[in-house]
Amino acid sequence: SAVISQKPSRDICQRGTSLTIQCQVDSQVTMMFWYRQQPGQSLTLIATANQGSEATYESGFVIDKFPISRPNLTFSTLTVSNMSPEDSSIYLCSALPREGREQYFGPGTRLTVT
Amino acid sequence: GQNIDQPTEMTATEGAIVQINCTYQTSGFNGLFWYQQHAGEAPTFLSYNVLDGLEEKGRFSSFLSRSKGYSYLLLKELQMKDSASYLCAVADSNYQLIWGAGTKLIIKP
């Protein structure tokens, strides 16, 4: 298993600013992912954070808007850039342990853009 | 395209049994997952099926039929704390998870 922490847990930001969300795993993991979840809806994968290389983005998400870093096997950041109210959502980090098959999730970051 | 369908909402009575269905159409199949998500919390892993049949884990069981593209999650002896959303997800040919919209389960006393 893996224990995942995220910072901040929540934030209220102004339109046009950027926020960086941190995700820390308590063990080395193979893969890390970033999701977005609107209230009452399911998970939408933003990107897969690749260690030492550029993240792999899903359709509809671009690096300029959601730059991602993964400097090592236990840490990743997601930046939400030039925010608009439409970016208000819960952002979740998840990780797939080396010997595992299921993803483990962090507690999420609740972002409100005003 | 890839698609996962599950009911939006279900209601059941405390102490009873409920079955949450999930049907899927994906490009490849490398297993089906069920997650539980309480309001305001992160999803937590419940079960994994990759072969046909029933997997039992305490009060929860999960069934898979690959030929039918069908799975269900069975919850027995329902408790109020089982009120949550239940998410079905399929790992496709690239091992990427495709998520259903989730089923909100409401337990009534």
Side-chain angles (χ1 to χ4, degrees):
Chain A
S1 67
V3 178
I4 302 174
S5 59
Q6 277 184 243
K7 289 193 298 186
S9 59
R10 60 177 62 227
D11 207 342
I12 301 173
C13 301
Q14 292 203 343
R15 182 195 299 260
T17 62
S18 298
L19 175 72
T20 295
I21 303 168
Q22 298 180 9
C23 177
Q24 179 72 55
V25 189
D26 69 340
S27 59
Q28 293 186 347
V29 294
T30 307
M31 302 179 77
M32 296 181 72
F33 306 90
W34 286 98
Y35 290 90
R36 186 168 71 182
Q37 186 175 33
Q38 302 285 3
Q41 297 187 20
S42 191
L43 304 172
T44 300
L45 180 64
I46 297 172
T48 301
N50 301 308
Q51 194 265 328
S53 64
E54 193 171 284
T56 304
Y57 289 85
E58 297 304 304
S59 175
F61 298 96
V62 295
I63 188 172
D64 290 345
K65 175 67 176 176
F66 297 100
I68 288 171
S69 78
R70 189 177 173 193
N72 56 51
L73 292 176
T74 64
F75 185 78
S76 178
T77 66
L78 168 75
T79 299
V80 186
S81 303
N82 187 26
M83 288 184 284
S84 66
E86 292 70 37
D87 294 320
S88 296
S89 187
I90 298 171
Y91 291 84
L92 291 156
C93 167
S94 76
L96 181 66
R98 280 182 168 174
E99 303 300 324
R101 63 194 179 196
E102 65 267 20
Q103 294 181 25
Y104 291 85
F105 286 84
T109 297
R110 183 180 295 271
L111 171 63
T112 303
V113 183
T114 60
Chain B
Q2 309 205 92
N3 192 51
I4 296 182
D5 288 317
Q6 48 181 134
T8 302
E9 186 175 298
M10 299 182 69
T11 302
T13 304
E14 189 177 16
I17 299 173
V18 69
Q19 177 175 311
I20 303 174
N21 296 325
C22 171
T23 58
Y24 63 89
Q25 289 179 309
T26 57
S27 56
F29 179 84
N30 281 301
L32 186 143
F33 298 80
W34 285 97
Y35 279 80
Q36 180 190 59
Q37 186 176 28
H38 286 99
E41 299 182 11
T44 56
F45 169 75
L46 286 178
S47 69
Y48 171 74
N49 294 71
V50 68
L51 299 177
D52 289 352
L54 188 68
E55 294 280 342
E56 297 186 78
K57 190 186 296 185
R59 294 189 299 114
F60 293 6
S61 302
S62 57
F63 172 84
L64 175 67
S65 169
R66 289 172 296 172
S67 62
K68 295 181 179 178
Y70 167 71
S71 172
Y72 68 72
L73 180 69
L74 190 72
L75 292 75
K76 303 177 185 176
E77 303 170 13
L78 286 170
Q79 303 174 9
M80 297 303 293
K81 68 178 182 179
D82 297 329
S83 292
S85 288
Y86 291 85
L87 306 174
C88 173
V90 173
D92 67 9
S93 56
N94 296 316
Y95 292 90
Q96 179 171 310
L97 288 184
I98 312 300
W99 294 85
T103 299
K104 182 179 181 180
L105 177 63
I106 300 169
I107 309 298
K108 295 185 175 180

